[in-house]
């Protein structure tokens, strides 16, 4: 792609009607990485014009999810509902200039219009009856009807743009009708909250957005938005470039939704995924850099120049995400993992005192290799803090009469050895020799009694991270 001439400015424009969806997060990631790659700015805009469904809680969640992913914005958040005066000013100008006009059609009239069109086998569309034309006589304004404002869409020609993702797209203007850009306000103002397509255009213009990267559910809006932009910019004004990213599909090929499991970014945080793993995984949904599957945020920014965006939809793959997360868990510093496990314990209502938490980083180091998420790591480490109950089946399978004398002997030796993994290992060896047992007989028995699990990492290392008294207490019953 030829490098952009203007300083790059991208935006993410979520509607605060719910949590941050994975698809919106992926779009935000692309817009962010693109801006960062070109040393530009990333803008956060909250599209809250659906007043009924927008909530402050959703705004907070969206901001928090973006923050967690590390998708820092340079400007905003801007709120559309705080920009009403600006929208009204622009519509006022358009009415004066003739690129917008008042339409007094009632809903009943519009229904009748569409019905007649359908009956004639035509596609239903606004027929332009209030559209001003030179020499045309308009019907008189209706008493008692408050008009809506429509955009005067060009009748001829074609809207064409070279989509960053999909390549050239053309739509004939005769496919588009004069869309409503504002309805009368509840507050008595002639212009209420304008419609989505209008607000987006004014915002993208005012915020000097150079690249509109968004979901491909907006492809159909783009020709309308380009026409409004052209009307506002006049001839010669530069349009932003558009890039429409295909949606994310669930494993069954339908659009990824709640039905497929968690779709909220923060749910993944709470399920124990690391933000760098989410960023890495999301980036690969619809974008590639050769065969690279694992890369840092810095590499992503260095590589993300708007090329190699997939035209076809990407499919969510939970197993791959778990694999990516496991990779980042292994790479993460142990004290960071310990802090995340502490958060997870907090969510579980598990109170851990400072002395108990002391060796938590070492525990993380020992167990992280076998975990795909923080939640799994916390599941492992719980045994260091709460009483355990070995399963009956494990007791039967691993703690038989043949091994009990050896366990008692081990308990006695552990009461006095220095409390290190090496000394514990030596005690285990001595017990094996004295009782003519092999490690695969003794170790599982110790594991079941102390950890309530038949398999763990090296048992000497596992035991060394308990307090000695706790191990002795758990071996007391043998
Ligand atoms: N608010 C729109 C949405 O959440 C985004 C519009 C846009 O990116 O232009 O789908």
């Amino acid at each position: 792609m030829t490098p952009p001439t203007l300083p790059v400015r991208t935006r993410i424009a979520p509607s605060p009607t719910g949590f941050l969806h994975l698809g919106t997060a992926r779009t935000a990631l692309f817009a962010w990485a693109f801006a960062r790659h070109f040393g530009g700015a990333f803008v956060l805009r909250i599209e809250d014009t659906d007043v009924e469904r927008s909530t402050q809680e959703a705004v907070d969640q969206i901001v928090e999810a973006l923050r967690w992913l590390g998708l820092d914005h340079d400007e905003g958040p801007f709120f559309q509902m705080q920009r009403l005066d600006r929208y009204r000013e622009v519509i006022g100008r358009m009415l004066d200039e003739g690129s917008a006009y008042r339409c007094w059609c009632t809903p009943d009239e519009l229904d009748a219009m569409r019905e007649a069109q359908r009956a004639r086998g035509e596609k239903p569309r606004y027929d332009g009856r209030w559209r001003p034309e030179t020499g045309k006589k308009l019907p008189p304004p209706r008493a008692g009807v408050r008009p809506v404002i429509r955009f005067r869409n060009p009748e001829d020609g074609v809207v064409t743009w070279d989509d960053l993702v999909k390549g050239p797209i053309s739509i004939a203007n005769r496919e588009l009708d004069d869309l409503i850009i504002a309805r009368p306000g509840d507050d008595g103002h002639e212009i209420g909250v304008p419609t989505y397509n209008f607000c987006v255009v004014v915002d993208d213009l005012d915020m000097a957005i150079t690249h509109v990267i968004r979901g491909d559910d907006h492809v159909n809006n783009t020709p309308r938005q380009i026409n409004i932009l052209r009307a506002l910019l006049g001839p010669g004004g530069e349009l932003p470039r558009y890039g429409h990213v295909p949606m994310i599909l669930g494993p069954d090929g339908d659009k990824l939704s709640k039905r497929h499991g968690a779709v909220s970014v923060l749910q993944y945080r709470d399920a124990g995924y690391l933000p760098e793993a989410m960023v890495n995984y999301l980036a690969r949904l619809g974008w590639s850099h050769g065969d690279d599957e694992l890369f840092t945020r810095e590499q992503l920014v260095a590589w993300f120049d708007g090329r190699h965006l997939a035209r076809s939809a990407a499919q969510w793959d939970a197993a791959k995400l778990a694999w990516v997360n496991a990779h980042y868990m292994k790479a993460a510093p142990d004290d960071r993992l310990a802090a995340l496990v502490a958060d997870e314990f907090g969510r579980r209502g598990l109170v851990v005192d400072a002395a108990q938490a002391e060796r938590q980083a070492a525990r993380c180091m020992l167990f992280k290799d076998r975990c795909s998420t923080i939640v799994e790591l916390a599941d492992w480490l719980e045994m260091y803090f709460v009483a355990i109950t070995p399963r009956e089946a494990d007791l039967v399978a691993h703690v038989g009469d043949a091994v009990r004398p050896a366990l008692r002997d081990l308990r006695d030796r552990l009461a006095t050895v220095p409390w290190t993994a090496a000394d514990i290992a030596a005690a285990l060896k001595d017990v094996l020799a004295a009782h003519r047992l092999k490690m695969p007989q003794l170790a599982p028995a110790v594991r079941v009694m102390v950890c309530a699990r038949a398999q763990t990492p090296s048992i000497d290392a596992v035991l060394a991270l308990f307090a000695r008294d706790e191990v002795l207490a758990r071996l007391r019953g043998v």
Side-chain angles (χ1 to χ4, degrees):
M1 169 181 131
T2 36
T5 45
L6 293 170
V8 164
R9 293 174 60 83
T10 63
R11 69 349 181 242
I12 186 70
S15 305
T17 53
F19 51 78
L20 187 71
H21 189 282
L22 292 167
T24 314
R26 195 266 315 252
T27 306
L29 173 61
F30 287 175
W32 172 88
F34 189 79
R36 291 286 169 268
H37 176 85
F38 289 107
F42 175 58
V43 177
L44 173 58
R45 180 166 85 219
I46 304 289
E47 303 207 326
D48 55 352
T49 54
D50 184 346
V51 183
E52 307 253 288
R53 293 174 58 226
S54 298
T55 65
Q56 184 58 42
E57 195 197 337
V59 173
D60 295 344
Q61 282 225 14
I62 288 167
V63 170
E64 171 59 13
L66 292 171
R67 193 203 56 77
W68 181 67
L69 290 171
L71 306 184
D72 53 319
H73 51 274
D74 304 288
E75 292 171 33
F78 298 109
F79 292 85
Q80 290 189 319
M81 286 307 285
Q82 292 174 11
R83 292 175 42 77
L84 275 189
D85 288 348
R86 170 67 180 150
Y87 302 142
R88 284 173 173 161
E89 174 199 327
V90 175
I91 291 176
R93 209 178 73 212
M94 291 171 77
L95 286 169
D96 290 346
E97 290 169 2
S99 55
Y101 62 91
R102 294 178 181 82
C103 165
W104 278 266
C105 278
T106 60
D108 287 347
E109 222 175 319
L110 288 170
D111 285 346
M113 181 193 303
R114 293 196 197 102
E115 201 140 309
Q117 286 164 335
R118 269 193 285 264
R120 288 196 299 270
E122 294 166 11
K123 205 166 124 189
R125 69 206 302 275
Y126 177 68
D127 65 3
R129 65 182 65 173
W130 292 92
R131 178 181 166 114
E133 309 281 5
T134 27
K136 170 174 164 188
K137 191 166 173 335
L138 294 175
R142 299 259 166 71
V145 176
R146 299 174 74 199
V148 302
I149 315 288
R150 287 184 185 270
F151 172 63
R152 195 169 186 280
N153 199 73
E155 284 188 299
D156 306 315
V158 189
V159 184
T160 300
W161 76 96
D162 186 11
D163 198 275
L164 268 173
V165 182
K166 297 178 183 284
I169 300 183
S170 297
I171 312 279
N173 272 322
R174 87 183 104 72
E175 299 290 325
L176 311 170
D177 56 6
D178 289 353
L179 74 148
I180 295 176
I181 56 175
R183 294 190 169 79
D186 297 334
D187 56 357
H189 198 288
E190 176 182 17
I191 302 166
V193 180
T195 55
Y196 157 75
N197 276 307
F198 177 80
C199 298
V200 165
V201 165
V202 176
D203 289 352
D204 285 341
L205 197 61
D206 286 355
M207 296 168 197
I209 300 302
T210 56
H211 294 79
V212 174
I213 296 171
R214 61 183 169 194
D216 68 359
D217 45 337
H218 289 291
V219 167
N220 290 339
N221 290 320
T222 304
R224 298 177 184 283
Q225 292 181 13
I226 289 178
N227 281 335
I228 302 176
L229 263 172
R230 286 218 172 102
L232 297 180
L233 280 167
E238 195 162 342
L239 297 174
R241 280 209 66 183
Y242 292 87
H244 289 95
V245 194
M247 60 179 85
I248 303 174
L249 304 180
D252 58 358
D254 283 350
K255 187 177 176 201
L256 186 69
S257 71
K258 276 189 191 158
R259 207 162 50 71
H260 299 107
V263 282
S264 144
V265 169
L266 292 182
Q267 270 179 287
Y268 281 84
R269 177 194 65 185
D270 296 345
Y273 291 84
L274 298 176
E276 62 269 38
M278 292 304 287
V279 163
N280 188 151
Y281 176 73
L282 286 171
R284 282 286 292 106
L285 282 177
W287 173 81
S288 58
H289 181 266
D291 293 331
D292 292 305
E293 291 294 353
L294 298 168
F295 38 81
T296 63
R297 185 180 292 265
E298 290 71 30
Q299 285 172 312
L300 169 65
V301 166
W303 296 337
F304 200 93
D305 60 2
R307 289 181 298 162
H308 310 299
L309 285 160
R311 287 183 187 202
S312 51
Q315 206 155 34
W316 188 259
D317 180 347
K320 184 174 167 193
L321 171 61
W323 172 76
V324 173
N325 203 56
H327 165 82
Y328 283 99
M329 296 248 316
K330 285 193 192 84
D334 297 310
D335 45 6
R336 176 173 167 224
L337 294 176
L340 293 170
V341 168
D343 292 345
E344 172 59 21
F345 279 175
R347 278 192 283 273
R348 296 179 187 189
L350 201 74
V351 186
V352 174
D353 65 43
Q356 281 179 309
E358 213 172 69
R359 278 166 294 178
Q360 197 66 333
R363 293 182 190 124
C364 290
M365 185 166 76
L366 185 59
F367 286 92
K368 66 182 178 182
D369 281 5
R370 51 187 67 216
C371 299
S372 313
T373 64
I374 296 293
V375 167
E376 281 177 33
L377 185 55
D379 288 347
W380 270 107
L381 299 195
E382 261 204 16
M383 68 181 180
Y384 285 100
F385 303 94
V386 299
I388 51 116
T389 318
R391 290 187 312 144
E392 199 50 43
D394 283 340
L395 289 171
V396 170
H398 300 291
V399 195
D401 289 341
V403 82
R404 280 179 190 274
L407 281 175
R408 285 194 284 270
D409 190 4
L410 178 68
R411 186 189 61 204
D412 293 342
R413 288 171 198 254
L414 291 183
T416 54
V417 296
W419 200 245
T420 70
D423 291 295
I424 294 170
L428 280 158
K429 261 195 165 158
D430 292 345
V431 169
L432 292 178
H435 296 262
R436 299 176 169 277
L437 290 173
K438 296 257 180 286
M439 199 53 127
Q441 294 165 284
L442 183 59
V446 179
R447 291 182 169 118
V448 169
M449 293 305 295
V450 178
C451 312
R453 303 220 192 203
Q455 278 156 2
T456 69
S458 175
I459 187 63
D460 47 278
V462 170
L463 294 185
L465 293 170
F466 277 95
R468 181 201 308 263
D469 289 348
E470 186 59 35
V471 172
L472 299 182
R474 291 184 189 192
L475 289 175
R476 197 157 294 147
V478 294

